[in-house]
Amino acid sequence: MFSPVMVRWRADGGGGCFGFAGRRSGVQLGATAGAETRGDGRFFAPHYLRFVVDDKPGIVSAISGALTKVGANIDSLLQRRGYPKHRLPFVVTAEPCLTSTIEQALASIARMDCMLERPLCLQMLEVEDKAE
């Protein structure tokens, strides 16, 4: 089964940039920081969640509630200005947890009447570049 992940490359412990890893990216996911593999092969990692909504009061509260209900916690939220309220994208990052936990929350979030697209969920892995 193919699960896309978001990878953050770090050079010399500083900033970094995000990219996507998967079958076609050519990125090898070897030793990673910020994620653990459980005994059954599942990842315990932070997650990147992107939503596109028809904005109205209470959306963030509803998403937060769905995450709380399954034991997941929000790490950060980003909403940039300049997008129309009737098609507003925003991103939530969740603290490390199992992907199956996030998927439980997303099942109820996806049914919210304000959701215009299926939520995007990516595991976030950090790969540190080591100076040679």
Side-chain angles (χ1 to χ4, degrees):
M1 178 178 224
F2 172 70
S3 293
V5 294
M6 174 175 255
V7 179
R8 181 176 181 200
W9 284 270
R10 294 178 54 130
D12 301 332
C17 62
F18 289 100
F20 296 94
R23 247 183 235 157
R24 297 184 192 155
S25 70
V27 173
Q28 297 274 334
L29 297 178
T32 61
E36 299 175 31
T37 302
R38 299 294 183 182
D40 57 6
R42 297 179 299 162
F43 275 108
F44 185 81
H47 289 78
Y48 168 100
L49 310 172
R50 191 202 66 209
F51 306 100
V52 179
V53 300
D54 184 6
D55 196 24
K56 64 182 180 180
I59 292 173
V60 172
S61 175
I63 289 171
S64 176
L67 291 168
T68 299
K69 190 173 184 177
V70 297
N73 193 34
I74 291 175
D75 178 52
S76 67
L77 186 137
L78 173 65
Q79 180 178 326
R80 294 232 165 118
R81 294 181 186 179
Y83 290 93
K85 295 289 186 184
H86 67 275
R87 190 161 186 79
L88 184 68
F90 71 95
V91 170
V92 169
T93 59
E95 291 182 356
C97 65
L98 292 172
T99 299
S100 58
T101 300
I102 292 293
E103 288 171 346
Q104 288 175 357
L106 289 178
S108 65
I109 292 169
R111 290 190 300 269
M112 293 171 55
D113 64 352
C114 61
M115 290 292 153
L116 300 176
E117 294 181 7
R118 183 172 163 247
L120 173 68
C121 175
L122 300 172
Q123 293 173 340
M124 296 171 55
L125 306 177
E126 265 188 3
V127 179
E128 295 187 19
D129 288 338
K130 297 186 180 185
E132 295 185 32

